[in-house]
Amino acid sequence: MSPHQTKLLSRVGLFLGFVTLIAGASLFAFRFSLAMGLAELQVTGRHRLDLYATSLEREIDKYAYFSTTLGLERDVLQMLAAPHPTRTAQVNQYLEQLNERAGTLSIYVLDSKGKVLATSNWRRPDSFLGEDLSFRPYFRQAMETGSGRIFGIGTTRGEPGYYLASSLTNGQGTVGVAVVKVGLQQLEKSWVTAEAPVLVADENGVVILASVRDWKFTTLTPLDEATRRAFDRTQQYNRRALNPLGVVEMTALEHGARLVSLPKLGPEMVSMFPVAGKFLAQTQPLPGSPWSITVFSLQEQVRGMAANRAAVAGVGAAFLCILTLMLNERRRHLKDRLAAREALQQAHDELERKVVERTADLSAANTRLQVEVAERTRAERTLRAAQDELVQAGKLAVIGQLSSGIAHELNQPLAALRTLSGNARKFLARGDQQTADSNLNRIADLVDRMGRLTGQLKSFARKSSGRPQVVPLRRAVDNALFLLEQRLRRAGVVACIDLSDEELQAWCDANRLEQVLVNLAGNALDAMEGQPAQALDITARRQGERILIQVRDRGPGLSAQARTHLFEPFFTTKEAGSGLGLGLTISAGIVADFGGSLSGDNHPEGGAIFTLDIPAAPGGPTT
Ligand code: ADP
């Protein structure tokens, strides 16, 4: 699995975890809050139940009192003991007044057989005066137990009400039954301030009293056919439809409380409070009767509250998740930053280590370089010394080549000196002072000339430093030619010197320049040896900061081979003993030392021409 997929998977996992947490927190809060709310609702419901039951009891007791007190009425007892129309009329009137005062539906007295002896409604055409009501359960109950309480619907007028019956007794026993029929509205008066739907069901589960009008004469549980037929027989509910209320019990709680749902019975139902939906139903028996009272407390508020709390818990959990996420993100961010810092530190350390290494390398390289430079300097110094030695050797070789000519040059004046000095002595002995004097003058000239030659030789042979300085060009050319004078004379060559400016000054070493010139002129003489027309031209001219010196001869010129290998050491075409092949190599080296160049070519008109390109002395005349 790729890191990207792993990351995605962990994200999805985290998201699912958060969703579960939020859902769990909400559910827990809902359940907890609902349980708490229902517990509170139970307490409130119980209080309501007590309150409504007590007020109903009080109301019923108030009317029940009438039937019992009738047993104390003398007229009533006398009428029962001996029925007489006058007495009956009296009792009828009494009951009529009482009924009016009490606001009840009817009050009547039955004899022990169940026949109506007197009644409050004696005036009305539908009065049940004289009717046999022994089949009515309240009569039987009163006869048997002393009192009877029953809900019923009147057989004559079909008016529902509560029959509160009390047996009437005299000294001989039960003589009759007094009955008060109370209207529904009268009993329900006690519930005008009820805050929740409340109902009273009789022993058959039929709703006989309810704060909701439409609930009346419904049943809490569906009736079977046998029960229905029994009701028809007693006409207790006067053949009312007795449809089920439709209470659906969902959960049974402790203390007999139930969570129920009530259906919407119809759009016409108008009530102070909701009568359909989810309720908490609480039931308790009504004391002194087989009836039970039930209060319905609406769960809506509790559920709403629980939903609100669940939402708050959900939001809280979500907030907690976001906070966790943020903290986690921050922690990761910090971790990343720490890692980045560590990486940076590592990189820095690495860099520093490399810098140290490189510095060490560099210093080692530097040391090596210094050593190399020192070695090279030493080598260069050695090379220079070797070069100097080579130059010197070359010069000595030139001197060697010149030596026979020089020896000849010295021998001639020496011989002349011997002759002249001998003659001078003779002339002095003869007293020819004048001729002797002239001879002595010639001797002096010859000695001067010899001295110049040896002086020149000595100066040429000297080991020069090679350090550049101002060199008058004319003198250098003259000195070189002076050394070659003997050879020139022998070859019958007159050197033709053409310096565009007699004052030309080069920036070089005079001694070495003379050496180069002697070399070039010597080569020229060598090349021209045996040639019919010999000539040696030495020209010089200034070109900007440079001086170009050319040495041209009328020899055979440079062969193709010579032109290729001219400046290579030991290249020579001369016979063994005549040349070493080092002259031009050394000369080129000397000129390069001056910062110049030496090149050789053939002149278009024949002969070889060598060109020296050397720096002019600074500040000199320019052309
Ligand atoms: P070397 O004179 O000892 O031979 P150089 O280096 O002076 O050595 O000369 C090398 C060769 O160059 C000579 O042997 C010769 O063949 C050729 N050369 C030098 N100068 C001339 C010249 N002026 N004319 C013809 N050939 C020349």
Side-chain angles (χ1 to χ4, degrees), residues 523-524 527 553 557-558 566 571-574 579-584 608 610:
N523 276 350
D553 61 55
L558 303 170
L566 206 55
F571 171 74
T572 180
T573 55
K574 292 171 192 170
L580 280 171
L582 283 172
L584 285 178
F610 283 83

Side-chain angles (χ1 to χ4, degrees), residues 79-335:
M79 180 191 75
L80 284 170
H84 187 273
T86 325
R87 281 202 192 110
T88 306
Q90 276 174 353
V91 174
N92 273 343
Q93 273 177 4
Y94 173 68
L95 292 179
E96 189 178 28
Q97 284 165 7
L98 192 65
N99 185 47
E100 230 167 78
R101 254 205 328 271
T104 48
L105 289 181
S106 54
I107 304 174
Y108 48 98
V109 177
L110 300 110
D111 64 10
S112 55
K113 300 273 182 324
K115 186 183 166 198
V116 180
L117 290 187
T119 171
S120 57
N121 58 13
W122 60 278
R123 277 183 216 273
R124 292 166 56 158
D126 56 358
S127 163
F128 37 73
L129 194 66
E131 273 183 33
D132 179 9
L133 296 180
S134 58
F135 63 92
R136 297 293 251 179
Y138 56 81
F139 170 74
R140 283 204 307 274
Q141 278 178 10
M143 286 300 286
E144 284 160 20
T145 63
S147 71
R149 282 183 185 189
I150 204 154
F151 166 77
I153 298 172
T155 44
T156 322
R157 285 216 257 155
E159 210 169 20
Y162 298 92
Y163 296 86
L164 305 169
S166 298
S167 59
L168 303 173
T169 50
N170 60 10
Q172 282 85 46
T174 305
V175 285
V177 172
V179 182
V180 177
K181 184 180 179 186
V182 187
L184 296 177
Q185 290 85 354
Q186 272 159 319
L187 288 183
E188 286 163 359
K189 267 195 292 190
S190 61
W191 291 342
V192 283
T193 53
E195 297 161 330
V198 52
L199 61 80
V200 172
D202 66 5
E203 65 276 21
N204 299 314
V206 176
V207 177
I208 50 172
L209 261 179
S211 59
V212 181
R213 190 167 54 86
D214 290 3
W215 285 5
K216 261 175 262 181
F217 310 115
T218 59
T219 58
L220 294 181
T221 47
L223 299 178
D224 56 23
E225 257 327 289
T227 322
R228 260 182 207 285
R229 269 201 300 277
F231 291 162
D232 286 349
R233 213 171 34 249
T234 57
Q235 295 179 22
Q236 187 176 351
Y237 305 107
N238 202 18
R239 296 194 174 83
R240 289 273 178 140
L242 301 181
N243 290 322
L245 177 56
V247 182
V248 180
E249 193 170 317
M250 291 155 77
T251 322
L253 305 176
E254 50 198 6
H255 308 302
R258 285 111 51 220
L259 294 182
V260 299
S261 101
L262 290 173
K264 257 198 173 75
L265 287 181
E268 74 281 358
M269 203 154 59
V270 183
S271 169
M272 293 285 287
F273 31 72
V275 292
K278 289 183 173 159
F279 289 89
L280 171 80
Q282 287 166 293
T283 306
Q284 72 174 39
L286 215 53
S289 77
W291 304 343
S292 64
I293 179 164
T294 305
V295 168
F296 294 94
S297 306
L298 193 62
Q299 286 183 40
E300 196 179 80
Q301 245 182 351
V302 173
R303 284 188 173 269
M305 182 80 84
N308 280 347
R309 287 189 183 153
V312 168
V315 168
F319 180 71
L320 214 68
C321 289
I322 290 169
L323 203 72
T324 312
L325 261 184
M326 275 168 68
L327 281 175
N328 198 36
E329 202 59 34
R330 192 176 148 71
R331 193 176 55 80
R332 195 178 313 151
H333 181 66
L334 279 176
K335 209 169 120 190

Side-chain angles (χ1 to χ4, degrees), residues 387 391-392 508-509 511-513 515-516 519 583-596 612 614:
Q387 272 177 352
V391 170
Q392 188 61 17
C508 59
D509 178 285
N511 185 266
R512 293 194 175 185
L513 180 61
Q515 186 179 344
V516 173
N519 244 323
L584 285 178
T585 314
I586 292 171
S587 297
I590 290 172
V591 177
D593 259 6
F594 293 167
L612 271 164
I614 55 172

Side-chain angles (χ1 to χ4, degrees), residues 505-507 542 544-547 614-619 621:
Q505 290 179 327
W507 181 252
R542 184 167 173 146
E545 298 299 309
R546 320 287 300 173
I547 289 177
I614 55 172

